[in-house]
Amino acid sequence: MTDPQNHVLQTGATIGILGGGQLGRMLSIAASRLGFKTCIFEPAGDCPASHVANYHYKADYSDTDALTKFANACDVITFEFENIPTDALDIIEAITPIHPNRAALATSQDRFSEKNFLTRIGLQTAPYAAVETGEDLEQAIDQIGIPAILKTRRMGYDGKGQSRLMSPDDAVQAMTDMAGAPAVLEGFINFSVEVSVIGTRSANGAISCFDPGENVHRNGILHTTTVPAKLTRAQRTDAVLLTANILNALDYVGTMGVELFVTPTGFIVNEIAPRVHNSGHWTQAGCAIDQFEQHIRAIAGWPLGDGSRHSNVIMENLIGDDVNRLPDIAKTNTAIHLYGKADAKLGRKMGHINTVTGASA
Amino acid sequence: MTDPQNHVLQTGATIGILGGGQLGRMLSIAASRLGFKTCIFEPAGDCPASHVANYHYKADYSDTDALTKFANACDVITFEFENIPTDALDIIEAITPIHPNRAALATSQDRFSEKNFLTRIGLQTAPYAAVETGEDLEQAIDQIGIPAILKTRRMGYDGKGQSRLMSPDDAVQAMTDMAGAPAVLEGFINFSVEVSVIGTRSANGAISCFDPGENVHRNGILHTTTVPAKLTRAQRTDAVLLTANILNALDYVGTMGVELFVTPTGFIVNEIAPRVHNSGHWTQAGCAIDQFEQHIRAIAGWPLGDGSRHSNVIMENLIGDDVNRLPDIAKTNTAIHLYGKADAKLGRKMGHINTVTGASA
């Protein structure tokens, strides 16, 4: 268990963030609001988080010396992505605490482990089976049925590392798509809508969740999150309790994103992310204390905000050349968040916008 | 006049900020949200703005070489305080545009010029007279009466450089307090309340003002700003029109703070500040686009937000050892903004908090 006497970081302390993308950028800004200094570890030079951080260790995750210096410079360390090399974590953790913990990271780094964990704590997932060989896939298809989706166990995000099977004939192509990587076959879920809950747990076990948001994807990438989601009061309660269940089971410290499919038989957990989450960006406009600050508060041993929402919000991602719409967007009363990325590549998250649509009911 | 074909800065451009305090810090964060890079010029090393900026030129305002390099590194330059040495501005402006313009800066750097300007455009100020000698002061007292307050014409802020005259006997002490600096005697105003309007003007002349906030001071330093202010609809309209009048008359580009005394005979302009203003910090919690982003939008040639307020807010400054209350404040659902200053000296602005008190009516 986490020590309830967890050290409370004083303002002026340094928070380390592994990863220099937009999540690291917004975490860094949130940390600065609380008077913390920030230190980014990221191999890329002109990265989004480095623009707003005190320090940037520009080094590879295999650079033991740089990792050691980074860890020594920080009072606590967190991360913006789940695929951090284990060796790097070993080096860092020997020097400075990392939140969320390694177990949470290990669980969510691997789709199969994640689904096993969720099943173990009594939550529903899509039917799933591990697949390493063509024979595994055949058996899995027999067990789960078609249509289904084959996904790499590790390193997948935004629809990458996935292959759909609409008929058994697609099996060969799907195995080719995995390129030899261990995979998991997931049955299709007949869901009406996807929602996500952003929850935070502090070191002393306090939990605070934001209202569920309703997600719409395009081309496998989150397009919009709308709050409030169209859920009944009972569903909202269920979604939050389920998220608390996950946070407690992992003895988690920090903010987590939990994606849920809404089905006639209840929620099915699609995915958990051991970090701040794109579907929680709306909290910047809807809450006094947003998901980024909640995360920083949790890892710093501070009390959490209560997660209450003062406004309804629609968050929309700006993907690739969506940024060409900026001149028009800037004419509206919408909060713009750009990530400082130079090239608007296809499918690249360039920024997001938050539109307040009214006071919360 | 400003060229209406003013250059529109693209994201990725660099915004220079003279001054590395908390206003520079929050301007820098706002600029980063719009995808701009930021460059701070500030002699002090570990300054608040440097923690969140891309670049920090740590050099003195007399360092011609550093000023030149700074100006060359920026696409547009602005400032967080009005007392920038003229020579430094000359060097910078020869290379890169500065907003707001020099005339606005010159006007507001000098209390006497400021009051002359306000009077010229038809606004009410406290009765005032320039004072350089003891004889000037005697004449001024005859003209204005007692009680009155003697203030240095330049470099005063947060009640510094001021001396109260409650009787003619205080004249000698007041002159001593001025330490030979040119001063202005101001008559006392019998006002019910102080409000301020934060207004922004873009290069093409568009103006957007936030709702007036009601200010309470303690020991000459702003303590709280409450929005909405207790004003009639007609008063709110007057306050905004008056602010627009000032912005237009100065051909101003950027955000300005206008402090107004509410009296039975209308508004009396206490002071104008050619920059974002402490009494506008509430906009971070009450508006989709806050005063800092409005300023950045204006100087970057972007469209302004409409200034609309979605929530009522009370902003409270954390001065000196007010920060000792942080553990309790952190337990409430209040947005905390700390400035990253190491020492909580007496009277030093360490941060502020914004509490949302409800949806705007």
Side-chain angles (χ1 to χ4, degrees):
Chain A
M1 286 294 295
T2 309
D3 178 4
Q5 302 300 318
N6 191 55
H7 186 59
V8 174
L9 282 195
Q10 302 299 310
T11 58
T14 300
I15 293 189
I17 300 169
L18 295 163
Q22 63 267 20
L23 300 181
R25 178 179 175 98
M26 292 183 280
L27 283 169
S28 188
I29 289 172
S32 77
R33 277 204 306 268
L34 299 182
F36 295 117
K37 297 193 171 176
T38 54
C39 188
I40 306 297
F41 192 96
E42 163 66 51
D46 183 29
C47 65
S50 71
H51 300 175
V52 294
N54 286 69
Y55 313 105
H56 175 196
Y57 283 76
K58 184 185 167 307
D60 198 82
Y61 283 100
S62 62
D63 186 336
T64 305
D65 187 47
L67 288 166
T68 304
K69 283 184 182 151
F70 167 75
N72 278 311
C74 299
D75 296 294
V76 67
I77 289 171
T78 189
F79 44 85
E80 60 146 22
F81 71 118
E82 47 270 54
N83 298 313
I84 304 154
T86 305
D87 291 351
L89 292 171
D90 288 340
I91 294 165
I92 292 168
E93 201 173 37
I95 302 167
T96 303
I98 300 179
H99 295 299
N101 61 44
R102 295 287 291 275
L105 202 51
T107 301
S108 59
Q109 271 177 343
D110 181 325
R111 291 182 195 279
F112 188 62
S113 309
E114 183 177 305
K115 284 188 162 50
N116 287 340
F117 159 73
L118 293 167
T119 305
R120 199 169 63 239
I121 64 170
L123 301 177
Q124 284 194 83
T125 70
Y128 67 101
V131 171
E132 297 208 8
T133 65
E135 294 82 65
D136 292 345
L137 181 53
E138 248 173 66
Q139 279 182 21
I141 291 171
D142 284 348
Q143 177 195 330
I144 289 165
I146 291 277
I149 186 159
L150 191 64
K151 298 178 176 178
T152 56
R153 284 172 59 162
R154 291 173 165 271
M155 304 294 276
Y157 68 99
D158 287 349
K160 288 171 191 171
Q162 304 195 358
S163 189
R164 286 187 182 215
L165 289 91
M166 302 309 286
S167 89
D169 299 343
D170 295 335
V172 174
Q173 181 59 47
M175 284 307 291
T176 308
D177 288 348
M178 296 302 105
V184 61
L185 188 73
E186 297 181 14
F188 262 38
I189 298 296
N190 201 355
F191 63 95
S192 57
V193 71
E194 185 200 292
V195 298
S196 55
V197 177
I198 309 299
T200 310
R201 186 174 178 274
S202 69
N204 65 9
I207 287 178
S208 175
C209 294
F210 295 106
D211 287 338
E214 188 169 320
N215 301 326
V216 174
H217 291 78
R218 273 193 192 167
N219 307 318
I221 304 176
L222 183 66
H223 173 52
T224 58
T225 301
T226 301
V227 182
K230 289 187 289 294
L231 295 176
T232 63
R233 178 175 291 269
Q235 283 177 315
R236 286 204 299 274
T237 305
D238 281 356
V240 164
L241 289 176
L242 170 166
T243 301
N245 186 352
I246 296 171
L247 291 168
N248 281 328
L250 290 170
D251 196 20
Y252 195 87
V253 174
T255 293
M256 168 180 278
V258 177
E259 292 179 5
L260 302 170
F261 293 139
V262 182
T263 78
T265 58
F267 289 116
I268 289 182
V269 184
N270 178 38
E271 206 170 273
I272 64 176
R275 52 169 169 77
V276 288
H277 196 258
N278 195 165
S279 66
H281 292 1
W282 68 267
T283 58
Q284 295 173 316
C287 304
I289 295 168
D290 67 22
Q291 66 161 348
F292 302 100
E293 183 168 333
Q294 286 285 66
H295 186 74
I296 297 296
R297 283 169 171 250
I299 68 170
W302 283 38
L304 305 180
D306 69 7
S308 64
R309 173 172 58 84
H310 55 68
S311 300
N312 298 340
V313 182
I314 299 176
M315 188 288 304
E316 181 184 345
N317 270 334
L318 302 177
I319 311 286
D321 58 15
D322 282 350
V323 288
N324 295 341
R325 287 166 41 214
L326 273 174
D328 284 330
I329 293 168
K331 288 177 192 156
T332 66
N333 206 49
T334 284
I336 297 173
H337 295 262
L338 297 174
Y339 305 150
K341 297 178 184 177
D343 303 316
K345 290 181 198 149
L346 185 72
R348 193 176 202 197
K349 290 178 178 170
M350 302 299 293
H352 68 274
I353 55 177
N354 281 322
T355 306
V356 169
T357 56
S360 70
Chain B
M1 287 294 292
T2 309
D3 178 5
Q5 303 299 317
N6 190 56
H7 186 60
V8 174
L9 281 196
Q10 302 298 310
T11 58
T14 300
I15 293 187
I17 300 168
L18 295 162
Q22 63 267 21
L23 300 180
R25 179 179 173 98
M26 292 183 279
L27 283 169
S28 188
I29 289 173
S32 77
R33 277 204 305 269
L34 299 182
F36 295 117
K37 295 190 172 177
T38 53
C39 189
I40 306 296
F41 192 97
E42 164 65 52
D46 183 31
C47 65
S50 71
H51 299 176
V52 295
N54 285 69
Y55 312 106
H56 176 197
Y57 283 77
K58 183 184 169 310
D60 198 82
Y61 283 100
S62 62
D63 185 337
T64 305
D65 187 47
L67 288 166
T68 304
K69 283 184 182 150
F70 167 75
N72 278 311
C74 300
D75 296 293
V76 67
I77 289 170
T78 188
F79 45 84
E80 61 145 24
F81 71 118
E82 48 270 56
N83 297 314
I84 304 154
T86 305
D87 291 350
L89 292 171
D90 287 340
I91 294 165
I92 291 168
E93 201 173 39
I95 302 167
T96 302
I98 300 179
H99 295 299
N101 62 45
R102 295 285 293 272
L105 202 52
T107 301
S108 58
Q109 272 176 344
D110 181 327
R111 291 180 194 280
F112 188 61
S113 308
E114 184 177 304
K115 285 191 160 50
N116 287 340
F117 158 74
L118 293 166
T119 305
R120 201 168 62 239
I121 64 170
L123 301 177
Q124 284 194 83
T125 70
Y128 66 101
V131 171
E132 298 206 10
T133 65
E135 294 81 62
D136 291 344
L137 181 54
E138 248 174 66
Q139 280 183 20
I141 290 172
D142 283 349
Q143 177 194 330
I144 290 165
I146 292 276
I149 186 158
L150 191 64
K151 299 178 178 178
T152 55
R153 284 173 59 162
R154 292 172 165 272
M155 305 294 279
Y157 69 97
D158 287 348
K160 289 172 191 173
Q162 305 195 359
S163 189
R164 288 187 181 215
L165 289 91
M166 302 308 286
S167 91
D169 299 341
D170 296 333
V172 173
Q173 180 59 46
M175 284 309 290
T176 309
D177 289 346
M178 296 302 106
V184 59
L185 187 72
E186 297 180 13
F188 262 37
I189 299 297
N190 200 355
F191 63 95
S192 58
V193 72
E194 184 199 292
V195 298
S196 55
V197 177
I198 309 298
T200 310
R201 186 174 178 275
S202 69
N204 65 10
I207 287 177
S208 175
C209 293
F210 295 106
D211 287 339
E214 189 169 320
N215 301 327
V216 173
H217 291 78
R218 275 194 191 165
N219 307 319
I221 304 176
L222 183 65
H223 174 51
T224 58
T225 302
T226 301
V227 182
K230 288 186 290 292
L231 294 177
T232 64
R233 178 175 292 268
Q235 282 176 316
R236 284 205 300 274
T237 305
D238 280 355
V240 164
L241 289 176
L242 171 165
T243 301
N245 186 354
I246 295 171
L247 291 169
N248 281 328
L250 290 170
D251 196 20
Y252 194 87
V253 174
T255 294
M256 169 180 277
V258 178
E259 292 179 5
L260 302 170
F261 294 139
V262 182
T263 78
T265 58
F267 290 116
I268 288 181
V269 184
N270 178 38
E271 204 168 274
I272 64 176
R275 53 171 168 75
V276 288
H277 195 259
N278 194 166
S279 67
H281 292 358
W282 68 267
T283 59
Q284 294 172 315
C287 305
I289 296 168
D290 68 22
Q291 67 161 346
F292 303 99
E293 182 168 334
Q294 286 285 64
H295 185 75
I296 298 296
R297 282 171 171 248
I299 67 170
W302 283 36
L304 304 180
D306 67 8
S308 64
R309 173 172 56 83
H310 55 68
S311 299
N312 298 340
V313 182
I314 299 176
M315 188 287 306
E316 181 184 345
N317 271 334
L318 301 178
I319 310 287
D321 58 15
D322 282 350
V323 288
N324 295 342
R325 286 167 42 214
L326 273 175
D328 285 328
I329 293 169
K331 288 177 193 156
T332 67
N333 206 47
T334 284
I336 297 174
H337 296 262
L338 297 175
Y339 306 150
K341 297 178 184 176
D343 303 316
K345 290 182 199 150
L346 185 73
R348 192 177 201 199
K349 290 178 177 169
M350 302 300 292
H352 68 274
I353 55 176
N354 282 321
T355 305
V356 169
T357 56
S360 69

